[in-house]
Amino acid sequence: MIPSASASRPFQGIFLVLALLVTRSVVSSPTPDPSIFARADPPQQYWSALGDSCAAGPGAGDVYDKEDSKRCLRSKDSYPMQLSRDQSFGKNPLRFLACAAHNTGAVARHQIPAINPRNNNNNEQQMMTLSTGSADVGLSRVIQECIIRPSGSSSDDGCEASLRAARQKMKSDEFEKDCRRLWQGIFEKLPASSNAMVYQTLYPRFFNLETTWCDEQSMGVNPAHRPKLDRKLRRTMNELVYELNYWIQRHAWKWMKDTPAHQKKLRFVNPNNRFDGHRFCEPGVEDARFNHEKIWFFGLDHTKTVGRSHFSTIDTRKKCEKADSKKKKKNPGKSYSCHLAQFFVGNPKSELKVPDPKGLSKLFHPKTKGHEAIKEEILRATKRTGYPKKQNLRIMPLGASITWGVGSTSKNGYRKDLRDILDRGDNQVKYVGSQKSGDMTNGDNEGYPGLTIREINDRSKRELQSSKPNIVLIHAGTNDILRPEKPDTAHERMGNLVDEVLKASPDAVVLVAELVDTAEEKSKDALRAFNARVVEEIMKRRQKGKRVMTVPMHVHEWGLTGDKIHPNDEGYQVMAKSWASALEEVQELGWIQQAGQMKDRVTRTV
């Protein structure tokens, strides 16, 4: 199981982080952290950074290699370079292979062959980083059609078409095969005995959804029509990022299940939470050009603009036909130029100034601060064990039938597996709740089979007040989707449930699971939409200082029982690992308020 931890143009490689840590520049720093490298003072154990434009880092500091500056767009403040300067990496050299012009297939074809399993001193690689996927699904095209829209069209048809194409691509067999070939190629390149870890970063979301001032703003460049950044569009973009992260991880879990020899060697790093307060449309950052220093993504560069003369030599008809050709991958940079050239042809007296097309390569990519956040999240991931240590945990499992344990042979669900993992960290653990299920000692929980979020909220209030948990694990909402009971607003009911939990137990840490998958075709899309919107609900509360967090579960069809809804024993084991990893993360954040010495600590059963 996986612990939870593009050939396109530069503009198409919009920011996924797949950097596999390999050596092109050597940067010296103090003694490395032995949790990353095998020995306290290794003799030049190199690492590699693979991936697309997010790993290359266009615009993040000075150009890394001027001889290749127009193609790969590697920068000196990209997160691989920042990692190489961190003391944890010591004198271990970096081979910086990430290239903005590469999609998943191109990373496999051009970057993997450059990985050397051992360096000149016959020392194995200890670590790699990776980022890929956005160019494959055409994320840059979505941004062009839905956000900047150089065509000036008032119709949303182009936006809707690009969104459909992106969603079809990410769930396609073709994309899954490309991802599998990439992961397989990486591990085949390394010795069979290698302990090298691969850290693949996921996408942070672009927009804050709560501000209203942004509803009337636009990043559109053509005055004929500038699409508004209203809440609907911002949510659509954030949900698309969520879906891409979901499908990349889903494809990985399936591949790892088929290749158990590589289990535990691929970890995902999600820097999304670190971007809180630093997205587009944040409150208090009312910058209509979206270039404020508190925003960690690049907007359009209005400091370098061009006008009519820049576009006067463009043969608009031929250029646009080629740039928008359905027979070839669309080139957003050329499409941008030709559409604006058409605008000037139709408006011969216009003095319009627009951002230089050369600046499109960094649009919606992380700035230096964003790369720093990604670097910090990778560093944390390298030191994690998968569970917290020496904590007094009074845990309330809260939800419906999956919390109760339906589908597991013992009816313990995830609870006993989670307790076994927590015992490795010398934690004191007690489950609390008014219900009991399973054959384990201390089978207490607050699981109500068949109930919806609203019903769970009503039933659990008294127990929350009396049992005083310091950790609440929520998995709820499946029944809202399957019945269905107003599934479009189920995420709001989840937000209400979280608020009630915090009201009853204000010192508790609340972890909210993204629902495990369902194999019921009619409910799949609604369930994934619910998960994406729950993430937004939790983000709102975390930004207000609440100790709340969402936890991806990664339980898919092959981890379900025959009813296509409840996890089997293997699925519950995955859930337990996901909860334990999240608990380690909240311990790092200093969120856990000790529950006191638990005199009623019970002896666990085998």
Coordinates of all heavy atoms in Angstrom, one line a residue, residues 362-422:
K362 N 4.8 31.1 -16.8 CA 4.7 31.0 -15.4 C 3.3 31.2 -14.8 O 3.1 31.1 -13.6 CB 5.7 32.0 -14.7 CG 5.4 33.4 -15.0 CD 6.5 34.3 -14.4 CE 6.2 35.8 -14.7 NZ 7.2 36.7 -14.1
L363 N 2.3 31.5 -15.6 CA 1.0 31.7 -15.1 C 0.4 30.5 -14.4 O 0.5 29.4 -14.8 CB 0.1 32.0 -16.3 CG -1.4 32.3 -16.0 CD1 -1.5 33.6 -15.2 CD2 -2.2 32.4 -17.3
F364 N -0.1 30.8 -13.2 CA -0.7 29.9 -12.2 C 0.4 28.9 -11.7 O 0.0 27.9 -11.1 CB -1.8 29.1 -12.9 CG -3.1 29.8 -12.8 CD1 -3.3 31.1 -13.4 CD2 -4.2 29.3 -12.1 CE1 -4.5 31.8 -13.3 CE2 -5.4 30.0 -12.0 CZ -5.6 31.2 -12.7
H365 N 1.6 29.1 -11.9 CA 2.7 28.3 -11.2 C 3.0 28.9 -9.9 O 2.8 30.1 -9.7 CB 4.0 28.3 -12.1 CG 3.9 27.5 -13.3 ND1 3.1 27.8 -14.4 CD2 4.5 26.3 -13.6 CE1 3.2 26.8 -15.3 NE2 4.0 25.9 -14.9
P366 N 3.6 28.2 -9.0 CA 4.0 28.7 -7.7 C 5.1 29.7 -7.8 O 6.0 29.5 -8.6 CB 4.4 27.5 -6.9 CG 3.8 26.3 -7.6 CD 3.7 26.7 -9.0
K367 N 5.0 30.8 -7.0 CA 6.2 31.7 -6.9 C 7.2 31.1 -5.9 O 7.0 29.9 -5.5 CB 5.7 33.0 -6.3 CG 4.7 33.8 -7.1 CD 4.2 35.1 -6.4 CE 3.2 35.8 -7.2 NZ 2.7 37.0 -6.5
T368 N 8.3 31.8 -5.7 CA 9.3 31.3 -4.8 C 8.8 30.8 -3.4 O 9.1 29.8 -2.9 CB 10.4 32.3 -4.6 OG1 11.0 32.6 -5.9 CG2 11.5 31.8 -3.6
K369 N 7.9 31.6 -2.9 CA 7.3 31.3 -1.6 C 6.5 30.0 -1.7 O 6.4 29.2 -0.8 CB 6.4 32.4 -1.1 CG 7.1 33.6 -0.4 CD 7.6 33.1 1.0 CE 8.2 34.3 1.7 NZ 8.7 33.9 3.1
G370 N 5.8 29.8 -2.8 CA 5.0 28.6 -3.0 C 6.0 27.4 -3.1 O 5.7 26.3 -2.5
H371 N 7.1 27.5 -3.8 CA 8.1 26.5 -3.8 C 8.7 26.2 -2.5 O 9.0 25.0 -2.1 CB 9.2 26.8 -4.8 CG 8.8 26.6 -6.3 ND1 8.8 25.3 -6.8 CD2 8.3 27.4 -7.2 CE1 8.4 25.4 -8.1 NE2 8.1 26.7 -8.3
E372 N 8.8 27.2 -1.7 CA 9.3 27.0 -0.3 C 8.3 26.2 0.5 O 8.7 25.3 1.3 CB 9.5 28.3 0.4 CG 10.1 28.2 1.8 CD 10.3 29.6 2.5 OE1 10.3 30.6 1.8 OE2 10.6 29.6 3.7
A373 N 7.0 26.4 0.3 CA 6.0 25.6 1.0 C 6.1 24.2 0.6 O 5.9 23.3 1.4 CB 4.6 26.2 0.7
I374 N 6.2 23.9 -0.7 CA 6.3 22.6 -1.2 C 7.6 21.9 -0.7 O 7.5 20.7 -0.2 CB 6.4 22.6 -2.8 CG1 5.1 23.1 -3.3 CG2 6.6 21.2 -3.3 CD1 5.1 23.5 -4.8
K375 N 8.7 22.6 -0.6 CA 9.9 22.1 -0.1 C 9.7 21.6 1.4 O 10.1 20.5 1.8 CB 11.0 23.1 -0.1 CG 12.3 22.7 0.5 CD 13.2 23.8 1.0 CE 12.6 24.4 2.3 NZ 13.5 25.4 3.0
E376 N 9.1 22.5 2.2 CA 8.9 22.2 3.6 C 8.0 20.9 3.8 O 8.2 20.1 4.7 CB 8.2 23.4 4.3 CG 9.2 24.6 4.5 CD 10.4 24.3 5.3 OE1 10.3 23.4 6.2 OE2 11.5 24.8 5.0
E377 N 7.0 20.8 2.9 CA 6.1 19.6 3.0 C 6.8 18.4 2.6 O 6.6 17.3 3.2 CB 4.9 19.8 2.1 CG 3.7 18.9 2.5 CD 3.2 19.1 3.9 OE1 3.3 20.2 4.5 OE2 2.7 18.1 4.5
I378 N 7.7 18.4 1.6 CA 8.5 17.3 1.3 C 9.5 16.9 2.4 O 9.6 15.7 2.8 CB 9.4 17.6 0.0 CG1 8.4 17.7 -1.2 CG2 10.4 16.4 -0.3 CD1 9.1 18.1 -2.5
L379 N 10.1 17.9 3.0 CA 11.0 17.6 4.2 C 10.2 16.9 5.3 O 10.7 15.9 5.9 CB 11.6 18.9 4.7 CG 12.7 19.5 3.9 CD1 13.2 20.8 4.5 CD2 13.9 18.6 3.8
R380 N 9.0 17.4 5.6 CA 8.2 16.7 6.6 C 7.9 15.2 6.2 O 8.0 14.3 7.0 CB 6.9 17.4 6.8 CG 7.0 18.6 7.7 CD 5.6 19.1 8.1 NE 5.7 20.2 9.1 CZ 4.6 20.8 9.6 NH1 3.4 20.4 9.2 NH2 4.7 21.7 10.5
A381 N 7.6 15.0 4.9 CA 7.3 13.7 4.5 C 8.4 12.7 4.6 O 8.2 11.6 4.9 CB 6.8 13.7 3.0
T382 N 9.7 13.2 4.4 CA 10.8 12.4 4.5 C 11.1 11.9 6.0 O 11.8 10.9 6.2 CB 12.1 13.1 4.0 OG1 12.4 14.2 4.9 CG2 11.9 13.5 2.6
K383 N 10.5 12.5 6.9 CA 10.8 12.2 8.3 C 9.6 11.5 9.0 O 9.7 11.1 10.2 CB 11.1 13.5 9.1 CG 12.4 14.2 8.5 CD 12.6 15.6 9.2 CE 13.8 16.3 8.5 NZ 14.0 17.6 9.1
R384 N 8.5 11.3 8.3 CA 7.4 10.7 8.9 C 7.5 9.2 9.0 O 8.0 8.5 8.2 CB 6.1 11.1 8.2 CG 5.7 12.5 8.4 CD 4.5 13.0 7.6 NE 4.2 14.3 7.9 CZ 3.6 15.2 7.0 NH1 3.3 14.8 5.8 NH2 3.3 16.4 7.4
T385 N 6.9 8.7 10.1 CA 6.8 7.2 10.3 C 5.5 6.6 10.0 O 5.4 5.4 9.9 CB 7.2 6.9 11.8 OG1 6.3 7.5 12.6 CG2 8.6 7.4 12.1
G386 N 4.5 7.5 10.0 CA 3.1 7.0 9.7 C 2.2 6.9 10.9 O 1.1 6.4 10.8
Y387 N 2.7 7.4 12.1 CA 1.9 7.4 13.3 C 2.5 8.4 14.3 O 3.7 8.7 14.3 CB 1.8 6.0 13.9 CG 3.1 5.3 14.0 CD1 4.0 5.6 15.1 CD2 3.6 4.4 13.1 CE1 5.2 5.0 15.2 CE2 4.8 3.7 13.2 CZ 5.6 4.0 14.3 OH 6.8 3.4 14.4
P388 N 1.6 8.9 15.2 CA 2.1 9.8 16.2 C 2.9 9.1 17.3 O 2.8 7.8 17.3 CB 0.8 10.5 16.8 CG -0.2 9.4 16.6 CD 0.2 8.7 15.3
K389 N 3.5 9.8 18.2 CA 4.3 9.1 19.3 C 3.9 9.7 20.6 O 3.8 10.9 20.8 CB 5.7 9.3 19.0 CG 6.2 8.6 17.6 CD 7.6 8.9 17.3 CE 8.0 8.3 16.0 NZ 7.3 8.9 14.9
K390 N 3.8 8.8 21.6 CA 3.7 9.2 23.0 C 2.6 10.2 23.3 O 2.8 11.2 24.0 CB 5.0 9.7 23.6 CG 6.1 8.6 23.5 CD 7.4 9.0 24.1 CE 8.4 7.9 24.1 NZ 9.7 8.3 24.6
Q391 N 1.4 10.0 22.7 CA 0.2 10.9 22.9 C -0.8 10.1 23.7 O -1.0 8.9 23.6 CB -0.4 11.3 21.6 CG 0.6 12.0 20.7 CD 1.0 13.4 21.2 OE1 0.1 14.3 21.4 NE2 2.2 13.6 21.5
N392 N -1.6 10.9 24.5 CA -2.7 10.4 25.2 C -4.0 10.7 24.4 O -4.4 11.8 24.3 CB -2.8 11.0 26.6 CG -1.7 10.6 27.5 OD1 -1.2 9.5 27.4 ND2 -1.2 11.5 28.4
L393 N -4.5 9.7 23.8 CA -5.6 9.9 22.8 C -6.9 9.3 23.2 O -7.0 8.1 23.6 CB -5.1 9.2 21.4 CG -3.8 9.7 20.9 CD1 -3.5 8.8 19.6 CD2 -3.8 11.2 20.5
R394 N -7.8 10.2 23.3 CA -9.2 9.8 23.6 C -10.0 10.0 22.3 O -10.4 11.1 22.0 CB -9.7 10.6 24.8 CG -11.0 10.1 25.4 CD -11.4 10.9 26.6 NE -12.6 10.5 27.2 CZ -12.7 9.5 28.1 NH1 -11.6 8.9 28.5 NH2 -13.9 9.2 28.6
I395 N -10.2 8.9 21.6 CA -10.7 9.0 20.2 C -12.2 8.6 20.1 O -12.6 7.5 20.5 CB -9.9 8.0 19.3 CG1 -8.4 8.4 19.3 CG2 -10.4 8.1 17.9 CD1 -7.5 7.5 18.6
M396 N -13.0 9.5 19.4 CA -14.3 9.1 19.1 C -14.4 8.9 17.6 O -14.3 9.8 16.8 CB -15.3 10.2 19.5 CG -16.7 9.9 19.0 SD -18.0 11.2 19.4 CE -18.3 10.8 21.1
P397 N -14.7 7.6 17.2 CA -15.0 7.3 15.8 C -16.5 7.7 15.6 O -17.3 7.1 16.2 CB -14.8 5.8 15.7 CG -14.0 5.4 16.9 CD -14.4 6.4 18.0
L398 N -16.7 8.6 14.7 CA -18.1 9.2 14.5 C -18.5 9.0 13.0 O -17.8 9.3 12.1 CB -18.1 10.6 14.9 CG -19.4 11.4 14.7 CD1 -20.5 10.8 15.5 CD2 -19.2 12.9 15.0
G399 N -19.7 8.4 12.9 CA -20.2 8.2 11.5 C -21.4 7.3 11.4 O -22.2 7.2 12.3
A400 N -21.4 6.5 10.4 CA -22.5 5.5 10.1 C -21.9 4.1 10.1 O -21.1 3.7 11.0 CB -23.2 5.9 8.8
S401 N -22.3 3.3 9.1 CA -22.0 1.9 9.1 C -20.5 1.6 9.0 O -20.0 0.6 9.5 CB -22.8 1.1 8.1 OG -22.6 1.7 6.8
I402 N -19.8 2.4 8.2 CA -18.4 2.2 8.0 C -17.6 2.4 9.3 O -16.7 1.7 9.7 CB -17.8 3.0 6.9 CG1 -18.4 2.5 5.5 CG2 -16.3 3.0 6.8 CD1 -18.1 3.3 4.3
T403 N -18.1 3.4 10.1 CA -17.5 3.7 11.4 C -17.8 2.5 12.3 O -16.9 2.0 13.1 CB -18.1 5.0 12.0 OG1 -17.7 6.0 11.2 CG2 -17.6 5.2 13.4
W404 N -19.0 1.9 12.2 CA -19.4 0.8 13.1 C -18.6 -0.5 12.7 O -18.4 -1.3 13.6 CB -20.9 0.6 12.9 CG -21.5 -0.3 13.9 CD1 -22.0 0.1 15.2 CD2 -21.8 -1.7 13.8 NE1 -22.6 -1.0 15.8 CE2 -22.4 -2.1 15.0 CE3 -21.6 -2.7 12.8 CZ2 -22.8 -3.4 15.2 CZ3 -21.9 -4.0 13.0 CH2 -22.6 -4.4 14.2
G405 N -18.2 -0.6 11.5 CA -17.4 -1.8 11.0 C -18.1 -2.7 10.1 O -17.6 -3.8 9.9
V406 N -19.2 -2.3 9.5 CA -19.9 -3.2 8.5 C -19.0 -3.6 7.4 O -18.3 -2.7 6.8 CB -21.2 -2.6 8.0 CG1 -21.8 -3.4 6.9 CG2 -22.2 -2.4 9.1
G407 N -18.9 -4.8 7.0 CA -18.0 -5.3 5.9 C -16.7 -5.9 6.4 O -16.1 -6.7 5.7
S408 N -16.3 -5.7 7.6 CA -15.1 -6.4 8.1 C -15.5 -7.7 8.8 O -16.6 -7.8 9.4 CB -14.4 -5.5 9.1 OG -15.2 -5.2 10.3
T409 N -14.7 -8.7 8.7 CA -15.1 -10.0 9.2 C -15.3 -10.0 10.7 O -16.1 -10.7 11.3 CB -14.0 -11.0 8.9 OG1 -12.7 -10.6 9.3 CG2 -14.0 -11.2 7.3
S410 N -14.5 -9.1 11.4 CA -14.6 -9.0 12.9 C -15.6 -7.9 13.4 O -15.9 -7.9 14.6 CB -13.2 -8.7 13.4 OG -12.8 -7.4 13.0
K411 N -16.1 -7.1 12.4 CA -16.9 -5.9 12.8 C -16.1 -4.8 13.5 O -16.7 -3.9 14.1 CB -18.2 -6.3 13.6 CG -19.1 -7.3 12.8 CD -19.6 -6.7 11.5 CE -20.6 -7.6 10.8 NZ -19.9 -8.8 10.2
N412 N -14.8 -5.0 13.6 CA -14.0 -4.0 14.2 C -13.7 -2.8 13.3 O -13.3 -1.7 13.7 CB -12.6 -4.5 14.6 CG -12.7 -5.5 15.7 OD1 -13.5 -5.4 16.6 ND2 -11.9 -6.6 15.7
G413 N -14.0 -3.0 12.0 CA -13.8 -1.9 11.0 C -12.3 -1.5 11.0 O -11.4 -2.3 11.0
Y414 N -12.1 -0.2 11.0 CA -10.7 0.3 11.0 C -10.1 0.4 12.4 O -8.9 0.6 12.6 CB -10.6 1.7 10.3 CG -11.3 2.8 10.9 CD1 -10.8 3.4 12.1 CD2 -12.5 3.3 10.4 CE1 -11.5 4.4 12.7 CE2 -13.2 4.3 11.0 CZ -12.7 4.9 12.2 OH -13.4 5.9 12.8
R415 N -10.9 0.3 13.4 CA -10.6 0.7 14.7 C -9.4 -0.1 15.4 O -8.5 0.4 15.9 CB -11.8 0.7 15.6 CG -12.8 1.9 15.3 CD -14.1 1.7 16.0 NE -14.9 0.7 15.5 CZ -15.3 -0.4 16.1 NH1 -15.0 -0.6 17.4 NH2 -16.1 -1.3 15.5
K416 N -9.5 -1.4 15.2 CA -8.4 -2.3 15.8 C -7.1 -2.1 15.1 O -6.1 -2.0 15.7 CB -8.8 -3.7 15.9 CG -7.8 -4.6 16.6 CD -8.2 -6.0 16.7 CE -7.2 -6.9 17.4 NZ -5.9 -6.8 16.7
D417 N -7.2 -2.1 13.7 CA -6.0 -1.9 12.9 C -5.4 -0.5 13.3 O -4.1 -0.4 13.4 CB -6.3 -1.9 11.4 CG -6.8 -3.3 10.9 OD1 -6.1 -4.3 11.4 OD2 -7.7 -3.3 10.1
L418 N -6.2 0.5 13.5 CA -5.6 1.8 13.9 C -5.0 1.7 15.2 O -3.9 2.3 15.4 CB -6.7 2.9 13.9 CG -6.4 4.3 14.4 CD1 -5.2 4.9 13.6 CD2 -7.6 5.2 14.3
R419 N -5.6 1.1 16.1 CA -5.0 1.0 17.5 C -3.7 0.2 17.5 O -2.7 0.6 18.1 CB -6.0 0.3 18.4 CG -5.5 0.2 19.8 CD -6.5 -0.2 20.8 NE -6.1 0.1 22.1 CZ -6.9 0.5 23.1 NH1 -8.2 0.5 22.9 NH2 -6.4 0.7 24.3
D420 N -3.6 -0.8 16.7 CA -2.4 -1.6 16.5 C -1.3 -0.7 16.0 O -0.1 -0.8 16.5 CB -2.6 -2.8 15.6 CG -3.4 -3.9 16.2 OD1 -3.6 -3.8 17.5 OD2 -3.9 -4.8 15.5
I421 N -1.6 0.2 15.0 CA -0.6 1.1 14.5 C -0.2 2.1 15.6 O 1.0 2.4 15.8 CB -1.1 1.8 13.3 CG1 -1.4 0.8 12.1 CG2 -0.1 2.9 12.8 CD1 -2.1 1.4 10.9
L422 N -1.1 2.7 16.3 CA -0.8 3.7 17.3 C 0.0 3.1 18.4 O 0.8 3.8 19.1 CB -2.1 4.3 17.8 CG -3.0 5.1 16.8 CD1 -4.3 5.5 17.4 CD2 -2.1 6.2 16.3

